[in-house]
Amino acid sequence: MKVFKFGGASLESIERIHKVGAIVQSFPDDKLLIVISAMGKTTNELEKVAQNFFLRKREIAAQLLYNIEQAHMETAAALLGNREHPVFQQLQQFFTEAEWTLGEKPLRTFDYYYDQLVGLGELLSTAIVSAWFNQSGIQNTWIDVRDVFRTDDNFRDANIDWAATQRNVTEKVLPLFNTTNIVIAQGFIGSTDQNESVTLGREGSDYSAAVFANMLDAESQTIWKDVEGLKNADPKLFPNTINIPEISYSEVIEMAYYGAQVIHPKTIKPLQNKQIPLYVKSFLNKDLPGTVIKEEADHTQLPPIIVLKQNQVLITVTSRDYAFITEDKISDIYDIFHGLKIKINLMQNAAISFSCCIDNNPEKIELLIKAMHQDFKLSYNESLQLLTMRYYQDGLLDELCNGKTILLEQRSHTTVQRILK
């Protein structure tokens, strides 16, 4: 049993979907559980639908949804050759359900409506790919992962109910492999015990695949991307990046924690718990060696690992009565950040102040100011960068910061972080 995950980039054109098919056909004797993301930038477009709906701009939301529908219908027709295939009825049903949501008044939280709408992308992509696979002789069974992944109702970042989900995998998914070698499921989404759709966090398809790998006792998980493997920096931001042939679970968790867009942060634990290796390979050239992520790896050969987070905000919190920021005050501050679901990317405290770096989300910053107004004064700087370098080299670090103002720095024996303006 192997688990494969194909991301949106691997589905953004007919040519690339054909490559996905060729990769799957090259494993004729393996049982494959395949997790598939939304096509191309569909998730971004569906987020716009959700935002406009919640702002009661229903006509704009409906038009955006229609555009997504037409794009998917055209892709399905191009792959399948006609519009008579039963999958078109399935696709239409998915869009009808989304239209029902748009017909409601937004009386619940934005996160709830986000999850009812944005998870549509994975249902569409998997239905289309599954239908084309079957038509092309790649026999497979399509499942709705919302019937399998049971979660709580923490919308937009739902937590898996491991016991209930394991029962569903054992009873509903495993028996399918008695009649087929390939099962296709969605990433990113699940369902509460009230059958309300949820998402598992942005880019959560990696995590979905890891949950399946754990529960199916898979021999490996492979994430197919549009790069050769893991690199020491984002090649879109930095020239001359270096491929990393092998790396440990713990190091990848560190990279994800600091913001590297390589693997979803939750992905590693389910794999590490059962010592399942994770491969990162290129769907553009499946014969390249890629990267293997495993328990033990030689870190003495690792190059400097660089992570640059854009659009950061440095917030400084000061006590109104000039009281020291001691453990009780820090606890109060943490509680506020936790309640607003604001992730702190870097923090530092002094005698009467607490500073932290967060992603720029104006709505949450406004809520943060209101929540802290009574006991604290709050100021902030916007449009900043957070540079993290593990296994740093001072010369390279200075080169990357050349011409910028360093507002705050933290340094350990392995890692440097700098907030830059």
Side-chain angles (χ1 to χ4, degrees):
M1 175 78 67
K2 292 182 171 71
V3 173
F4 286 175
K5 180 262 178 173
F6 291 97
S10 64
L11 307 172
E12 65 183 9
S13 69
I14 300 298
E15 178 186 6
R16 288 191 168 188
I17 295 172
H18 286 164
K19 283 184 178 292
V20 170
I23 289 170
V24 172
Q25 285 180 309
S26 69
F27 294 85
D29 300 323
D30 290 292
K31 294 187 182 297
L32 303 176
L33 187 291
I34 302 176
V35 171
I36 295 178
S37 299
M39 291 182 172
K41 301 298 183 183
T42 301
T43 300
N44 294 344
E45 296 304 310
L46 285 165
E47 287 179 336
K48 294 176 185 176
V49 174
Q51 289 161 0
N52 280 282
F53 162 73
F54 198 71
L55 293 172
R56 300 179 185 269
K57 299 178 180 179
R58 192 165 298 164
E59 290 185 4
I60 297 175
Q63 181 61 51
L64 290 169
L65 184 65
Y66 176 78
N67 295 342
I68 294 168
E69 179 179 358
Q70 292 307 299
H72 281 79
M73 294 297 186
E74 289 172 10
T75 298
L79 284 168
L80 297 166
N82 64 77
R83 291 181 181 264
E84 303 303 318
H85 193 285
V87 76
F88 286 93
Q89 293 182 350
Q90 185 181 14
L91 298 178
Q92 190 59 63
Q93 181 59 39
F94 291 145
F95 281 108
T96 298
E97 291 173 8
E99 289 164 2
W100 289 343
T101 299
L102 294 187
E104 299 178 16
K105 291 183 178 180
L107 302 177
R108 298 182 63 170
T109 66
F110 172 74
D111 288 353
Y112 168 79
Y113 291 109
Y114 178 101
D115 282 5
Q116 309 319 301
L117 292 166
V118 176
L120 172 66
E122 278 68 18
L123 295 167
L124 299 171
S125 63
T126 52
I128 292 170
V129 171
S130 174
W132 177 69
F133 272 15
N134 280 323
Q135 182 171 287
S136 303
I138 309 172
Q139 298 304 313
N140 73 91
T141 300
W142 179 92
I143 61 173
D144 187 333
V145 78
R146 295 175 299 177
D147 296 329
V148 181
F149 279 16
R150 191 63 62 237
T151 74
D152 62 14
D153 60 357
N154 186 32
F155 296 104
R156 290 190 73 180
D157 193 18
N159 299 293
I160 297 285
D161 180 334
W162 282 82
T165 301
Q166 180 68 75
R167 285 195 300 271
N168 288 338
V169 169
T170 302
E171 295 172 4
K172 298 179 180 181
V173 179
L174 263 177
L176 298 175
F177 287 101
N178 294 327
T179 56
T180 183
N181 275 357
I182 300 172
V183 173
I184 291 179
Q186 305 77 36
F188 183 49
I189 61 176
S191 176
T192 70
D193 57 9
Q194 300 299 311
N195 291 321
E196 294 175 317
S197 296
V198 298
T199 62
L200 307 179
R202 199 67 158 85
E203 309 295 340
S205 293
D206 291 351
Y207 178 52
S208 299
V211 173
F212 271 121
N214 177 289
M215 295 186 176
L216 292 167
D217 291 316
E219 68 174 83
S220 66
Q221 175 181 333
T222 303
I223 296 175
W224 297 91
K225 299 174 73 73
D226 56 355
V227 293
E228 297 174 33
L230 292 190
K231 294 178 176 287
N232 71 316
D234 185 343
K236 297 174 184 175
L237 299 176
F238 299 96
N240 307 317
T241 54
I242 302 170
N243 290 323
I244 300 174
E246 68 172 35
I247 194 168
S248 69
Y249 295 130
S250 60
E251 187 61 40
V252 169
I253 289 173
E254 292 285 347
M255 291 173 67
Y257 173 79
Y258 289 121
Q261 300 297 310
V262 285
I263 306 294
H264 189 278
K266 293 181 180 178
T267 302
I268 299 302
K269 190 177 188 309
L271 302 177
Q272 191 274 336
N273 286 351
K274 291 194 174 179
Q275 297 297 293
I276 299 170
L278 173 61
Y279 296 88
V280 180
K281 301 198 67 169
S282 171
F283 65 79
L284 299 173
N285 187 346
K286 67 180 179 61
D287 296 322
L288 292 174
T291 300
V292 59
I293 303 167
K294 54 187 181 177
E295 182 68 40
E296 301 290 342
D298 182 7
H299 288 171
T300 62
Q301 303 300 314
L302 281 178
I305 296 173
I306 305 165
V307 181
L308 184 66
K309 286 179 71 70
Q310 307 277 7
N311 197 22
Q312 297 293 288
V313 178
L314 178 60
I315 291 178
T316 299
V317 179
T318 307
S319 55
R320 287 193 175 276
D321 58 0
Y322 292 94
F324 288 133
I325 301 291
T326 52
E327 289 80 1
D328 57 338
K329 294 284 187 183
I330 291 176
S331 178
D332 293 340
I333 293 169
Y334 279 3
D335 285 344
I336 293 171
F337 276 84
H338 177 71
L340 295 174
K341 298 182 181 178
I342 298 175
K343 179 182 179 292
I344 297 175
N345 299 324
L346 179 150
M347 59 186 169
Q348 191 173 91
N349 69 287
I352 60 170
S353 67
F354 173 89
S355 298
C356 64
C357 181
I358 64 172
D359 297 339
N360 190 5
N361 184 324
E363 293 177 7
K364 289 195 173 183
I365 291 174
E366 184 177 342
L367 292 173
L368 185 66
I369 293 171
K370 290 180 180 178
M372 290 193 164
H373 176 74
Q374 184 172 345
D375 298 319
F376 302 98
K377 291 184 291 185
L378 189 148
S379 61
Y380 59 92
N381 292 320
E382 298 178 292
S383 304
L384 307 179
Q385 297 176 322
L386 175 59
L387 175 69
T388 302
M389 185 182 295
R390 285 180 63 75
Y391 310 109
Y392 57 88
Q393 298 170 355
D394 285 328
L396 177 58
L397 185 63
D398 292 340
E399 180 183 331
L400 294 177
C401 298
N402 186 38
K404 299 182 181 296
T405 302
I406 302 170
L407 300 183
L408 189 151
E409 176 180 294
Q410 286 188 354
R411 184 183 293 248
S412 72
H413 69 288
T414 59
T415 306
V416 172
Q417 289 190 283
R418 286 179 175 177
I419 299 176
L420 307 174
K421 184 175 178 64

